[in-house]
């Protein structure tokens, strides 16, 4: 225990005490909260629920066990629970002025302070950066981010001596361990490092330790890491441009639209440290103007995240993501509250907070509670939106087309760091919050210890990241960019058209020219609303141009039960494995068919809704009905179906198809309504390097032609094209027109 | 058109008119309804919804197409819609006094009267009894049951001449066609015949035609049918005891407890004609005291049906049944309303009516609406209940054990006529309205034309009816009763214990001695509540006694995703077909393991709930992880998993296991709670012909022994038994006791 001279320390103490709490709660905030208690329902309810939870935990007593387990195991779960309890108890102490809560935090902190110095690196060795409490520094950082807030809240309750003990025995060694002792974890641009930087930054602010704060903001200088060092996900550790620290983590992964390159699942995870630290800096170092940084990128990030959810609030699955994660996650509660409080009081955020049903117990949460109480909430209207990727917004992006009840997510981003999947120009389709054409997501059961300790499963690499597990083109049974991070992370797709002003025809189009050298991919997704039918339908045009002859597979991951096809297939006696690598080894071939050049139809039932996929084929295209689950010795994979359309020995190709949600089934009345597709025919009527035209005939005896200009996306350009002796003229990069 | 003398006809007409409506609506009822309109919310809402629906249909106009399609096709759906519209329009005419509705019914009836005589038997030939409007007489009968009500409602609106036209050209030929012309349909004990009898009976009451009424009530006399005639489901047509007509259909399939031998799915279907005709008879022929018949069996039937539902109101799956059918079906709205009105105003029925959210627009519906409006509704509390099977209640039954949130359905019934499955002593388990250990149900997509015209699929016979598709014993890979209706329909299981007075240990036990000649099966299912754990768990003891050596398979149809097993299994490179017949040809073997004599554990996740199956094994028992879907050329089957425990070359055997629902997963917080089983060990510690004892050790360091007396089920008998040097004494046929 270090000790300064008596009087100096005393004066420091007073100065210091006057400044707490100051991270997330402020002294003024506490005053305002106390003045409003009892008249702000959502805040009062959150407070009551938190009090109830913490009172029960205080009664039950806590445990600070010797670290031992992976995620999902007892010691992992307990240390995770502990930091959450301390953060909440600290807040309760401030708001309720009850020392029981402060004592609880203090006792737990001292238990950690006593044991921490005696703990070696965590006994589980799987991580490239082992923590001490947890198997990865990442989780240790989580601990410190929350615990810093608890420390700030009970700072004044502690004596100087107690604070010195905690800081010397616990906080400073802890901060050093996750930074200096693990620079491969701390000095990166990655969500792990964000947590690391913020953990160090938060405790620095709580302790008023400027040298730690500098490390947090700007990284550790003069650290040399091996060039080829990789993390557990295969991501490179050593940043080529030498950018490190919190600002670098703000610069790099966020696009100007607030899209985080790893995807929404990890953005959700990263938003908490970004925003909680921003909030603390805003309170404690307002001169940094952190929320103004990069044209308010953090606030834009919250808006982007909310737009990256389906009708139920579940995040779209881009790259590594677990299904079911949504804006009900606590980090989004913080994000929404902070964005509201510090970002100009957007009333639409209040309706999200109402759905979340809770607020943060701090100044931001108070602002939200007051806004709701004052009736300011407005619906958060999610519209079609394009979110650019890349630090400067020029590395492709995500296009989201919405036309109720359908939502389509189209991916043409950069790789997404180590959590990226090899699926350029893939998409997923949702109806009313239910996934209809799925993205598999990641192969991991987070915190379910039975499944590989709750960590990434090996099938995440061999299956979930591979191209064939997504709704996009695979050339010659090889994943895009050869499934290699070194290659994939160097490239990005490019948006070509994003045009959503007309409600009845919305277009997202993008190109990918590096996934397969020498092959150009150009995909266009269109949502078309035909007033004769209940639901809009989706037109999908995937063009492939190349010099050489290749095999192209386009999988279609429908979810549900096959009702009928308009083609005859041969079901194999027993399923056969489809391929040997690149994810194909995980697919069973169940049935095969040969196309006759007409369009094929797959009619299926999901959630009592009838869907049909109608796809143009060429003569002798192969149709493979397959199922996930081969080479899966521990039942890690979900055994779900796909239809693969395969073109062999082909140079240029166009895959054109339509997806409809056209009918319903009611089990209670046993009524089937509109069980069949409304598409009479779909045909590619024109295809050159300049233009592609698709003709769609519907059962209401209407024919439409959709034409896209493949090389000129100028909105003002005039086009004229003769197809089958009919001349079409239009302005702009595409047209949808009725014909007779 | 027949014609009586002028004056006579006139007086008949007046007499007749004064008596309409009199089937479902009565003149007094109409008066009462009118007096209460506007002050009985659930009735007013149903009326408004019905008016809205019918107004739209009147505006759109109707079609009476030439019959052509199977279920799900246009002509089928249209004729089905037409009878429903007529019935509703008739009611609206009576209640609203608006002739628009009467005219709509009249016009449609005349369109039918014009075409009906010209229509031959339906062109689709699959049925043993083809209708004219529909492919089966069954659906024609549906039509007439509803249309009779419409006719009754507009009777007074029509002129004598119009009535004579309709009766001569349409109703009488229609009634004759489904009776005299199709005695193989009409003269049976079967739900088909119930509909036929009731159709003829309803139109007889509407027309005051006593000779038709006699045929409806007592069947057609002097009809000889071939002895070996079978229907499409393989059921025998010619009743051995010569019982025919409505009364016979009441006598035979209903047990004294109101259980209908085909199972709840068909009971739901049959209840509508039973009750609608009973209601009409009650109004028009009160001297028959139809609702008093067989000790109020029809009213008991409503109670039985409501008890045969899970927490969501979905019917349990016994025999042929489609998932998702529930007490929200319109026939249950009628049933609940009629049972309330005519059965003593049980206030618990009102809470079901509230959930249904609608009432019938008649005297019964008015009574329910008034009851609800007067605040009389009480919760319908479903408790553990045993429902006997067989006309006299001595042909086994169904045992339902309930201990919230778990519900277990245990089948030890008679065969269930032609809709019966070969699964004596099988069970299914539900948690909070979700099926956890499933009964497959039937292989049919009712009214989904894409799937075999919406009719039974061939896999219903080859898979769904076979023993291996259920959670019960299969001996030597052969279905019970050789899967033969002739054999199975002669036998029934026998209940042995049904004891549910103690909340913490509820027992249902039953025996089956005919499924495999020479082999005695005895299964005991116990729900045990341990106050240390949130949910009760299920103990399952299946004893097999035989002279010869056999192979026994006990499948376990868990729904969900395998998390972990405590045994090592070898996943096959590709799935192999498990067997050649009796349903085995539809199972893929995916993985195999050999038991080491300890108990095996299967831990799985379903709906974010963790479950574990812990089963006692003998050394070298085989464990097969299998999946439905082999030999399924048209994807008619759902590809769901099972675990089969196989004992080879075995004489006597005991299969003992425990099923627990022990934990939860929350995707939004990624928290896994109690992910592992609480069962430390399960062991058969005693097994003789007299007693079987199972020892259960739980993780809270408690050991319990459950002992059952296998041959004496006297509740008063005293028992004393020494197991491992400890003496147990108790009174009654079983005991559950803690040991140290």
């Amino acid at each position: 225990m270090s000790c300064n001279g008596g009087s100096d320390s005393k004066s420091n103490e007073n100065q210091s005490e006057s400044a707490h709490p100051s991270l997330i709660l402020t002294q003024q905030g506490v005053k305002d909260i106390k003045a409003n208690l009892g008249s702000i329902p959502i805040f009062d309810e959150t407070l009551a629920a938190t009090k109830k939870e913490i009172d029960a935990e205080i009664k039950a007593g806590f445990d600070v066990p010797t670290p031992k387990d992976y995620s999902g195991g007892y010691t992992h779960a307990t240390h995770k629970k502990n930091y959450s309890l301390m953060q909440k108890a600290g807040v309760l102490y401030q708001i309720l002025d009850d020392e029981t809560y402060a004592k609880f935090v203090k006792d737990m902190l001292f238990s950690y302070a006593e044991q921490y110095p005696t703990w070696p690196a965590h006994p589980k060795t799987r991580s490239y950066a082992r923590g001490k409490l947890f198997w990865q520094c990442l989780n240790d950082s989580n601990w410190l981010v929350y615990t810093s807030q608890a420390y700030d809240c009970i700072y004044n309750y502690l004596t100087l001596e107690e604070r010195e003990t905690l800081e010397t025995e616990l906080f400073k060694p802890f901060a050093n361990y996750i930074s200096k002792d693990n620079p491969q974890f701390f000095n990166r641009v990655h969500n792990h490092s964000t947590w690391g930087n913020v953990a160090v930054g938060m405790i620095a602010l709580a302790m008023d330790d400027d040298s730690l704060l500098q490390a947090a903001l700007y990284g550790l200088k003069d650290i040399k890491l091996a060039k080829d060092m990789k993390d557990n996900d295969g991501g490179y550790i050593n940043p080529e441009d030498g950018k490190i620290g919190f600002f670098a983590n703000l610069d790099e992964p966020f696009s100007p639209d607030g899209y985080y390159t790893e995807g929404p699942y990890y953005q959700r995870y990263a938003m908490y440290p970004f925003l909680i630290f921003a909030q603390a800096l805003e309170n404690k170092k307002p001169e940094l103007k952190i929320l103004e940084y990069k044209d308010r990128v953090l606030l834009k990030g919250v808006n982007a995240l909310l737009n990256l959810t389906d009708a139920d609030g579940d995040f779209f699955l881009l790259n590594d993501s677990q299904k079911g994660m949504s804006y009900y996650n606590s980090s989004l509660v913080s994000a929404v509250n902070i964005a509201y409080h510090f970002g100009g009081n957007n009333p639409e955020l209040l309706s999200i907070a109402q759905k979340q049903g809770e607020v943060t117990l701090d100044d931001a949460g108070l602002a939200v509670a007051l806004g709701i109480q004052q009736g300011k909430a407005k619906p958060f209207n999610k519209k079609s939106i394009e979110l650019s990727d890349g630090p400067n917004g020029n590395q492709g992006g995500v296009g989201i087309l919405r036309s109720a009840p359908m939502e389509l997510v189209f991916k043409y981003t950069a790789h997404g760091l180590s959590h990226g999947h090899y699926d350029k120009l893939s998409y997923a389709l949702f109806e009313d919050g239910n996934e209809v054409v799925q993205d598999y997501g990641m192969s991991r059961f987070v915190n379910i210890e039975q499944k590989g300790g709750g960590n990434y499963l090996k099938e995440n690499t061999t299956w979930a990241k591979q191209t064939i597990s997504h709704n996009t083109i695979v050339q010659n049974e090889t994943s895009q960019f050869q499934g290699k991070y070194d290659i994939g992370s160097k490239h990005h797709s490019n948006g070509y058209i994003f045009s959503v002003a007309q409600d009845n025809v919305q277009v997202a189009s993008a190109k990918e020219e590096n996934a397969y050298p020498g092959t150009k991919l150009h995909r266009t997704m269109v949502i078309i609303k035909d007033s004769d039918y209940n639901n809009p339908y989706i037109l999908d045009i995937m063009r492939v141009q190349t010099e050489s002859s290749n095999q192209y597979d386009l999988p279609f991951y429908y979810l549900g039960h096959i009702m009928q096809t308009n083609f005859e297939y041969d079901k194999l006696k027993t399923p056969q494995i489809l391929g040997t690598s690149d994810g194909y080894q995980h697919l069973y071939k169940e049935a095969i068919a040969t196309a006759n050049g007409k369009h094929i139809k797959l009619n299926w039932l999901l959630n009592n809704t009838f869907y049909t996929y109608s796809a143009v084929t060429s003569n002798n295209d192969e149709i493979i009905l397959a199922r996930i689950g081969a080479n899966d010795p521990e039942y890690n994979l979900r055994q779900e179906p796909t239809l693969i359309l395969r073109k062999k020995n082909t140079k240029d190709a166009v895959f054109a198809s339509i997806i409809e949600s056209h009918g319903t089934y009611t089990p209670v009345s046993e009524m089937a309504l509109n069980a069949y597709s409304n598409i009479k025919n779909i045909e590619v009527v024109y295809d050159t390097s300049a233009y592609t035209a698709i003709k769609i005939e519907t059962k209401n005896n209407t024919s439409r032609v959709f034409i896209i200009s493949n090389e000129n996306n100028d909105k003002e350009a005039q086009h004229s094209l003769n197809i089958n002796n009919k001349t079409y003229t239009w302005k702009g990069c595409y047209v949808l027109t009725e014909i007779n």
Side-chain angles (χ1 to χ4, degrees), chain A:
Chain A
M1 202 178 306
S2 78
C3 186
N4 297 348
S7 62
D8 254 301
S9 149
K10 197 70 191 165
S11 92
N12 278 348
E13 183 182 8
N14 286 341
Q15 189 195 339
S16 173
E17 284 185 4
S18 69
H20 293 271
S22 58
L23 263 54
I24 306 308
L25 274 170
T26 63
Q27 290 178 312
Q28 183 60 42
V30 170
K31 215 177 283 178
D32 294 343
I33 288 168
K34 286 177 179 168
N36 281 286
L37 279 187
S39 66
I40 37 175
I42 194 171
F43 195 103
D44 294 332
E45 286 156 24
T46 309
L47 181 63
T50 306
K51 183 177 182 321
K52 190 177 164 194
E53 177 194 351
I54 299 302
D55 287 351
E57 292 287 348
I58 289 177
K59 201 174 158 199
F62 65 81
D63 184 20
V64 177
T66 303
K68 183 169 78 63
D69 302 328
Y70 275 129
S71 332
Y74 173 75
T75 72
H76 183 102
T78 304
H79 288 298
K80 189 173 171 180
K81 183 170 109 175
N82 284 349
Y83 64 67
S84 166
L85 295 180
M86 283 195 281
Q87 191 267 344
K88 289 174 180 170
V91 168
L92 291 178
Y93 167 63
Q94 282 295 333
I95 297 178
L96 301 176
D97 271 336
D98 181 340
E99 295 200 345
T100 316
Y101 302 110
K103 182 170 182 305
F104 178 71
V105 177
K106 178 182 141 184
D107 291 349
M108 199 185 285
L109 283 178
F110 271 87
S111 177
Y112 274 104
E114 206 171 294
Q115 297 183 74
Y116 186 83
T118 73
W119 287 334
H122 193 278
K124 298 284 189 205
T125 57
R126 195 187 297 168
S127 174
Y128 75 104
R130 288 148 71 191
K132 291 182 80 175
L133 278 55
F134 301 91
W135 70 281
Q136 5 174 39
C137 277
L138 173 63
N139 304 103
D140 279 43
S141 301
N142 300 158
W143 187 95
L144 191 56
V145 169
Y146 285 84
T147 304
S148 303
Q149 298 171 51
Y151 181 55
D152 179 46
C153 282
I154 69 156
Y155 195 93
N156 292 355
Y157 169 79
L158 300 169
T159 65
L160 173 63
E161 196 181 331
E162 285 165 347
R163 293 199 293 261
E164 291 217 345
T165 303
L166 291 176
E167 296 189 3
T168 319
E169 301 294 312
L170 180 60
F171 297 135
K172 286 179 184 170
F174 201 113
N176 286 335
Y177 182 80
I178 59 173
S179 55
K180 287 182 198 144
D181 297 352
N182 283 284
Q184 81 284 14
F185 164 76
F186 191 81
N187 264 16
R188 295 175 71 190
V189 169
H190 190 279
N191 76 65
H192 287 189
S193 312
T194 301
W195 277 99
N197 300 160
V198 168
V200 170
M202 291 289 280
I203 199 66
L205 290 177
M207 299 190 301
D208 277 322
D209 184 321
D210 196 58
S211 111
L212 278 180
L213 183 63
Q214 293 307 309
L217 293 174
Y218 306 105
L220 291 166
K221 306 298 175 192
D222 304 322
I223 300 278
K224 284 265 173 277
L225 293 170
K227 260 256 173 282
D228 56 352
M229 210 172 186
K230 288 188 181 183
D231 65 16
N232 295 90
D233 306 314
Y236 277 104
I237 280 173
N238 201 357
E240 282 187 15
D241 52 9
K243 284 196 167 185
I244 50 176
F246 184 71
F247 279 108
N249 271 296
L250 259 176
D251 286 337
E252 287 292 310
F254 282 102
S255 81
D257 291 338
Y259 177 76
Y260 185 77
T261 192
E262 297 187 357
Y265 178 80
Y266 275 96
Q267 180 162 1
R268 172 267 329 169
Y269 187 60
M271 277 319 267
Y272 182 79
F274 274 118
L275 285 168
I276 207 77
F277 191 39
Q279 188 178 10
L281 289 170
E282 199 74 19
N283 285 329
K284 201 126 182 181
K285 304 276 175 191
E287 65 277 14
L288 285 175
K289 294 191 177 168
I290 189 72
L291 286 168
E292 297 296 318
Y293 190 75
K294 199 173 165 179
D295 198 18
R296 298 161 61 90
V297 72
L298 279 177
L299 298 168
K300 285 182 179 169
V302 178
N303 185 58
L305 251 186
L306 294 174
N307 268 294
L308 285 161
T309 61
D310 68 17
D312 297 333
D314 285 2
F315 291 118
F316 295 135
L317 300 144
L318 295 159
N319 301 323
D320 284 339
S321 356
Q322 179 165 280
K323 297 195 177 190
M325 182 54 75
S326 76
Y327 63 45
Y328 293 96
N329 180 273
S330 63
S331 69
L332 267 285
V333 175
S334 302
V336 166
N337 289 197
I338 292 169
Y340 179 79
H341 185 48
F342 293 101
N345 298 350
N346 173 3
E348 295 192 2
L349 293 172
L350 296 178
S351 67
I352 303 285
Q354 283 178 311
K355 287 191 185 179
Q356 291 169 335
E358 55 175 320
V359 292
T360 53
L361 296 174
D362 57 20
D363 306 22
L366 175 65
V368 168
L370 286 170
I372 291 173
Q373 181 229 31
Q374 290 156 11
K376 292 180 181 164
K378 286 190 182 164
F380 190 93
N381 276 327
K382 287 184 273 191
K383 300 192 185 116
S384 295
I385 186 173
E386 182 176 48
L387 297 166
S388 64
D389 194 6
N392 302 311
N394 57 3
Q395 299 182 6
V398 176
I400 303 166
L401 297 181
R402 292 187 161 103
S403 183
M406 314 307 291
E407 293 178 290
L408 183 117
V409 194
F410 180 28
K411 180 187 176 186
Y412 41 96
T413 59
H415 187 70
L417 304 179
S418 61
H419 289 296
H421 289 195
Y422 300 92
D423 64 330
K424 293 291 194 277
L425 307 192
S426 73
Y427 76 97
L429 179 68
F430 294 74
E431 175 167 6
D432 208 15
N434 294 310
E435 215 178 359
V436 174
V437 184
Q438 77 160 333
D439 185 284
Y440 187 88
M442 63 190 184
S443 180
R444 178 179 178 186
F445 297 80
V446 180
N447 291 329
I448 298 183
E449 199 189 37
Q450 298 98 300
K451 285 291 189 197
N455 302 315
Y456 279 100
L457 299 165
K458 64 183 190 314
E459 289 79 9
N460 197 58
T461 305
T462 59
W463 165 252
K465 284 191 166 185
Q466 300 300 320
T467 309
I468 192 64
S469 86
H470 301 82
N471 299 298
T472 190
I473 284 280
V474 185
Q475 179 176 299
N476 300 329
E477 301 186 31
T478 305
S479 280
Q480 298 176 354
F481 308 103
Q482 300 171 51
K484 289 186 179 158
Y485 181 76
D486 314 18
I487 303 174
S489 59
K490 287 204 182 75
H491 301 286
H492 58 82
S493 305
N494 285 303
Y496 179 69
I497 300 173
F498 191 80
S499 170
V500 297
Q502 281 177 275
D503 191 40
N504 65 336
V505 48
Q506 301 185 52
V507 181
S509 181
K511 298 182 179 188
E512 169 57 50
E513 308 194 341
N514 298 295
Y516 299 107
T519 299
K520 293 179 179 181
L521 304 175
H522 178 191
R523 189 171 213 166
T524 303
M525 314 240 26
V526 191
I527 292 200
I528 297 171
K529 217 166 158 173
D530 177 339
S531 57
D532 278 4
Y533 300 116
N534 283 334
N535 292 334
Y537 58 85
I538 288 88
L539 169 65
D540 171 18
I541 311 166
M542 173 69 101
R543 293 185 76 237
V544 189
Q545 282 184 296
T546 183
E547 299 294 293
S548 52
S549 272
N550 297 297
Q551 173 184 298
Y552 304 112
D553 286 345
L554 184 60
F556 178 72
Y557 283 91
Y558 67 99
L559 284 172
H561 192 139
I562 293 185
M563 291 291 106
Q564 202 178 45
T565 63
N566 74 343
F567 56 91
E568 281 188 25
Y569 51 79
D570 288 318
K571 195 104 182 285
L572 308 185
K573 187 75 181 161
T574 57
Q576 301 302 319
I577 296 174
L578 188 60
T580 54
S581 70
D582 293 72
Y584 282 77
Q585 73 277 23
H586 290 297
L587 281 171
Y588 285 124
K589 181 162 69 174
E590 290 187 334
I592 46 167
T594 306
N596 62 3
K598 309 276 182 197
H599 80 286
I600 56 163
K601 272 188 192 301
L602 170 74
N603 175 272
W604 81 97
L605 185 67
L606 170 70
N607 297 327
N608 292 316
T609 305
F610 291 107
Y611 297 91
T612 298
Y613 171 67
S614 305
V616 174
T617 64
S618 301
N619 224 344
N620 295 321
D621 282 356
E622 277 181 28
I623 303 155
I624 301 165
L625 297 175
R627 190 169 300 269
I628 305 161
N631 285 299
D632 176 26
E634 293 181 306
Y635 283 100
N636 286 339
L637 299 174
R638 303 188 307 270
Q639 302 198 16
E640 290 161 342
T642 187
L643 179 153
I644 299 173
L645 192 53
R646 172 172 284 182
K647 292 180 186 292
K648 283 183 165 171
N649 295 318
T650 303
K651 284 186 175 171
D652 295 354
V654 180
F655 291 83
S657 62
I658 284 175
I659 313 165
E660 299 162 86
S661 162
H662 49 73
T664 55
Y665 184 68
T666 311
V668 166
S669 62
E670 298 182 334
M671 288 281 276
L673 203 69
N674 302 323
Y676 295 103
S677 164
N678 297 314
I679 300 297
K680 205 190 279 178
N681 195 27
I682 169 172
E683 210 178 329
V684 181
V685 287
Y686 193 91
D687 187 52
T688 63
S689 56
Y691 299 103
T692 301
I694 311 291
K695 184 177 164 194
I696 303 165
E697 289 175 72
T698 42
K699 278 196 187 156
N700 52 0
N701 290 317
T702 308
S703 289
R704 288 179 176 78
V705 170
F706 177 85
I707 313 173
I708 180 169
S709 153
N710 291 325
E711 289 170 341
N712 179 357
N713 64 358
D714 182 350
K715 286 174 189 166
E716 302 301 323
Q718 289 287 346
H719 297 271
S720 180
L721 179 67
N722 190 292
I723 303 176
N724 295 335
N725 300 321
K726 187 170 158 56
T727 302
Y728 298 85
T729 56
W730 74 96
K731 190 180 93 169
C733 37
Y734 67 88
V735 66
L736 175 72
T737 183
E738 271 193 36
I739 54 173
N740 348 18

